[in-house]
Amino acid sequence: MQVQWQVKIYQFRGIGLFKATLQNGSKSAAAPQSPTEFSIVVAVLTYKRNDLLQNLLASYAEMEIPSGIRSVLIVVDNDSAASAQPIVEAQRSSLGEVQYVVESRRGIPVARNRALDEALALGADAVCFIDDDEYPARNWLKELISCWKSTGAHLIGGPVNVASPPDNANAWHRAINASLAARMRRKNRTTAHRASTGGRYTVVTNNWLCDVRWLRRTGIRFDETMQISGGSDTAFFRSARAAGATPAWCPNAVVWEKLSLDRLSLSYQFIRGAAQSNTHFILKNPKLFVPSLPLNILYFALRFLLGLVLLVIPVYGLASPVMAVRSMGWSVGRIQALLGFRSSLYK
């Protein structure tokens, strides 16, 4: 009696499924399908924020890793003195597979590209980013991978919630933190609605998954000329969309942002709003139409005034104070862009 085995290989988003069939005349038996292991790199960039990094690593150690998944944590330290290494080494035994690398060239886009290079070198199927001042929900990675598998998207984003303020925060810090949390909830709802209705939204690296095979094929990288301006992840997303990338939004893949005291002020939120507005306007308008300058400046000035009104009449509830000062910052950033000034937020 002659027995023949036929093995068929099915590929889906980096997951290999095999099906073996034993043939003997008209009789056959099929083995159950089972996934082979595929790898996910979770990358975190850090620069002299060891307390926040320690919190992130502790949460990562408690995170649920789906079965059949090889998860590799890569910490990219942008400090040439390797100041984060003791933090990583102290928790290494609880982190599973972890790599620590130093990128001595300064700049967020430079460090992001180093993380991409490390993921490519490992032959990973996908790479995720999470900020060092964040920590993931226990099911974060599981939800991202599930969304990736079900949608086939090349870039996936998820919501960022504002965590409770530091223990040493005063009443004013706590009020600003609460306003930022309310604003972020509004922003997350808006993004989820746009994603579900086919609207426009942006996927940035504070909660991000990227298909590495697509990345390898397109060769897209973060713009290293944007070292101090910020916004290189927004520029990456714009380049990705231009290259035909399919984005997706995963509302159940949640991370929490832990804001330091220096960020819990209206002045910082004003400055950050101005810098982000400046960078985004320049990305969208690389060539400015000079005759339109007066009209644009008038519009931006009116937006500034509306921000002032929002401080007095908080129509957006708890979120209003932060939304007001960021709106005013937005106006200033746009006017600065029109006048030829460029953001130096991370100088």
Side-chain angles (χ1 to χ4, degrees):
M1 180 177 64
Q2 184 179 9
V3 178
Q4 294 179 323
W5 284 87
Q6 290 184 346
V7 180
K8 298 181 180 180
I9 305 296
Y10 300 86
Q11 294 291 336
F12 178 72
R13 308 306 303 170
I15 304 174
L17 298 179
F18 70 87
K19 180 179 180 181
T21 304
L22 174 64
Q23 293 188 333
N24 178 19
S26 61
K27 296 181 180 180
S28 65
Q33 293 184 345
S34 60
T36 60
E37 183 182 75
F38 76 111
S39 60
I40 300 289
V41 163
V42 177
V44 53
L45 319 180
T46 191
Y47 178 74
K48 295 184 178 181
R49 298 205 290 188
N50 288 349
D51 290 344
L52 293 169
L53 177 63
Q54 187 171 19
N55 184 62
L56 166 60
L57 296 181
S59 294
Y60 178 89
E62 298 295 325
M63 190 174 61
E64 180 180 358
I65 307 296
S67 61
I69 303 301
R70 176 194 178 195
S71 177
V72 183
L73 175 65
I74 296 181
V75 178
V76 181
D77 192 349
N78 208 198
D79 180 12
S80 59
S83 58
Q85 187 171 14
I87 303 300
V88 176
E89 294 302 327
Q91 300 191 56
R92 180 176 289 276
S93 61
S94 65
L95 297 173
E97 192 171 353
V98 58
Q99 295 185 14
Y100 172 83
V101 298
V102 174
E103 177 50 67
S104 57
R105 295 182 301 141
R106 293 286 300 279
I108 294 174
V110 174
R112 285 172 177 157
N113 283 336
R114 175 64 182 275
L116 296 185
D117 291 340
E118 295 292 334
L120 287 164
L122 282 173
D125 297 290
V127 57
C128 302
F129 276 114
I130 184 171
D131 290 350
D132 64 350
D133 59 352
E134 298 173 344
Y135 59 91
R138 192 172 185 274
N139 66 340
W140 172 68
L141 189 60
K142 180 181 178 181
E143 292 293 340
L144 278 180
I145 293 173
S146 177
C147 182
W148 180 47
K149 289 165 58 178
S150 64
T151 64
H154 302 115
L155 289 171
I156 298 173
V160 178
N161 292 333
V162 175
S164 57
D167 293 338
N168 59 340
N170 60 31
W172 178 244
H173 292 141
R174 294 180 184 279
I176 300 300
N177 195 86
S179 185
L180 284 165
R183 172 183 175 271
M184 191 60 73
R185 288 193 295 270
R186 289 179 56 87
K187 183 178 179 180
N188 289 335
R189 287 196 299 268
T190 298
T191 303
H193 175 73
R194 289 177 178 174
S196 64
T197 57
R200 295 181 64 86
Y201 60 97
T202 301
V203 175
V204 294
T205 57
N206 54 8
N207 187 354
W208 190 84
L209 180 147
C210 179
D211 186 310
V212 172
R213 290 175 302 168
W214 169 86
L215 185 71
R216 190 187 300 275
R217 185 173 68 250
T218 60
I220 295 176
R221 292 292 185 274
F222 294 95
D223 185 351
E224 295 186 1
T225 67
M226 304 179 73
Q227 287 182 320
I228 63 173
S229 65
S232 63
D233 50 355
T234 300
F236 182 100
F237 183 76
R238 291 174 63 85
S239 297
R241 289 305 303 267
T246 300
W249 186 255
C250 186
N252 296 323
V254 179
V255 302
W256 298 83
E257 182 180 13
K258 194 78 174 178
L259 296 170
S260 54
L261 293 182
D262 61 310
R263 297 192 174 194
L264 294 177
S265 70
L266 292 182
S267 60
Y268 174 82
Q269 295 303 318
F270 177 90
I271 293 169
R272 187 175 180 86
Q276 292 177 335
S277 173
N278 179 284
T279 300
H280 292 174
F281 184 76
I282 292 170
L283 284 174
K284 292 181 179 179
N285 304 276
K287 295 182 179 179
L288 300 179
F289 185 53
V290 175
S292 68
L293 291 181
L295 187 61
N296 278 320
I297 290 175
L298 176 61
Y299 169 68
F300 300 148
L302 289 174
R303 175 73 178 264
F304 185 93
L305 292 175
L306 287 175
L308 284 175
V309 171
L310 184 57
L311 277 177
V312 180
I313 308 174
V315 297
Y316 296 112
L318 194 60
S320 295
V322 168
M323 292 180 67
V325 298
R326 287 185 68 95
S327 180
M328 291 186 286
W330 181 94
S331 304
V332 170
R334 293 296 166 101
I335 293 174
Q336 288 174 332
L338 291 173
L339 297 177
F341 293 97
R342 299 295 182 264
S343 166
S344 58
L345 180 65
Y346 295 103
K347 185 177 181 180

